[in-house]
Amino acid sequence: MISTAVTFPSGQVSGRSQIVGTVPAGDRHGLVVAETPFHPLDHTWPDQPADRGTIGGVPVLDCVTGAQSSSSPSSGEIFLGDAIPARRGAEGWEWLVVHVTETPLPVGAEVDLEVDAAFRAALSAGHTACHLAALALNAALAGRWRKEVAVDGLGHPDFDQAAISSSRIAEYGSVDVYRLGKSLRKKGFSAEGLDLELVAQQVNDRLKAWVAADAAVRLDVPGPGLTARRTWHCSLPEGEASIPCGGTHVTRTAELGRVEVTLSLEDATLTMRTTARAI
């Protein structure tokens, strides 16, 4: 098999392709096609959940990343998810989208692939809101750095990238967890006297302005492969922001309706919960 071509970066939610291989997925069946609109769960940074939908009229119960060594294809072994022994996009590997079903389908069959468009749209809104919230949080915390650090696309110290522990995209929202421990202090960040209510208000004011600006959102897609290094771009009033991203997104910030965050702090862990909802 060769790496799966993916069409979800361009917003596609349907397609037709040939089943080129199968792989056991526990007591279920993993189906691999030549080209798919399905977004799988990433095995290295599992922030956006897998798409839902059908393949050949059969429900897709899960959609995961698979990998097969192209240097020793005779072994035929396909690794799934956490069991993949290679880094994402590593050379010498074919990277596959594996559609998990209860029902087997034959290799060689031409099948229709249909993604649950409403669920995809909800995740896309959540992912775009997540990126905007991270940029707004960077701006709100910019004055707390005592040392020079890497900056984001808008020129603010990149707290999000320096402190992020986990990020989980949900329908119309996200939960991002940041560590404020010793490592971050050494980098020059001070959390002393952090006023969460004030920071949240500053973030929300900026988000309100960005949504009102109806800024264009796009993905730079250098190739059709699953592991192509895609980049999210947003033309905000302060400038062009960009973040490496393998997920899906809305096309304009106004589609988010209203974006708001809440912040909580416990045991040197800052949690930001972001919601997007239509006005």
Side-chain angles (χ1 to χ4, degrees):
M1 282 185 282
I2 62 173
S3 293
T4 309
V6 294
T7 60
F8 63 79
S10 64
Q12 296 298 309
V13 292
S14 64
R16 184 171 177 81
S17 189
Q18 183 181 55
I19 297 177
V20 295
T22 63
V23 57
D27 58 353
R28 294 172 173 173
H29 307 273
L31 307 177
V32 181
V33 296
E35 180 182 272
T36 183
F38 277 78
H39 177 279
L41 183 70
D42 189 284
H43 71 294
T44 56
W45 187 249
D47 55 348
Q48 181 168 330
D51 278 334
R52 302 170 181 170
T54 60
I55 177 171
V58 173
V60 174
L61 305 178
D62 198 3
C63 192
V64 300
T65 300
Q68 182 181 46
S69 173
S70 54
S71 59
S72 56
S74 59
S75 70
E77 186 170 10
I78 298 175
F79 300 92
L80 302 181
D82 293 341
I84 296 174
R87 296 184 62 178
R88 174 186 168 89
E91 293 185 7
W93 290 81
E94 303 298 338
W95 296 91
L96 311 169
V97 176
V98 181
H99 311 76
V100 180
T101 66
E102 289 280 7
T103 305
L105 294 173
V107 173
E110 289 281 339
V111 292
D112 291 318
L113 298 108
E114 297 290 341
V115 172
D116 183 331
F119 184 62
R120 162 76 70 77
L123 294 179
S124 296
H127 209 149
T128 302
C130 176
H131 284 346
L132 292 175
L135 291 168
L137 183 63
N138 288 347
L141 297 177
R144 290 188 160 270
W145 292 90
R146 298 188 304 270
K147 299 179 182 178
E148 288 190 9
V149 294
V151 298
D152 63 22
L154 299 180
H156 300 123
D158 202 338
F159 170 85
D160 177 73
Q161 287 301 299
I164 190 75
S165 172
S166 68
S167 180
R168 295 293 182 269
I169 308 301
E171 295 173 85
Y172 299 104
S174 64
V175 178
D176 294 274
V177 179
Y178 302 96
R179 295 295 299 169
L180 305 182
K182 185 177 180 180
S183 176
L184 195 63
R185 291 196 299 272
K186 285 185 175 180
K187 293 178 182 178
F189 183 83
S190 173
E192 185 177 352
L194 188 63
D195 185 335
L196 296 185
E197 185 175 344
L198 176 61
V199 172
Q201 184 60 57
Q202 292 173 339
V203 170
N204 288 331
D205 286 346
R206 194 174 295 266
L207 290 171
K208 183 178 180 179
W210 287 347
V211 169
D214 192 23
V217 178
R218 65 180 178 85
L219 281 176
D220 177 36
V221 183
L226 174 61
T227 59
R229 296 182 180 275
R230 298 180 288 275
T231 305
W232 175 88
H233 294 269
C234 188
S235 302
L236 295 168
E238 293 92 330
E240 181 81 3
S242 62
I243 297 174
C245 182
T248 64
H249 294 275
V250 302
T251 59
R252 305 195 70 86
T253 59
E255 295 176 44
L256 300 175
R258 181 170 62 183
V259 182
E260 293 181 331
V261 306
T262 60
L263 300 173
S264 60
L265 183 62
E266 183 177 359
D267 297 330
T269 298
L270 176 67
T271 300
M272 178 169 67
R273 290 176 171 82
T274 304
T275 58
R277 52 185 180 274
I279 297 176

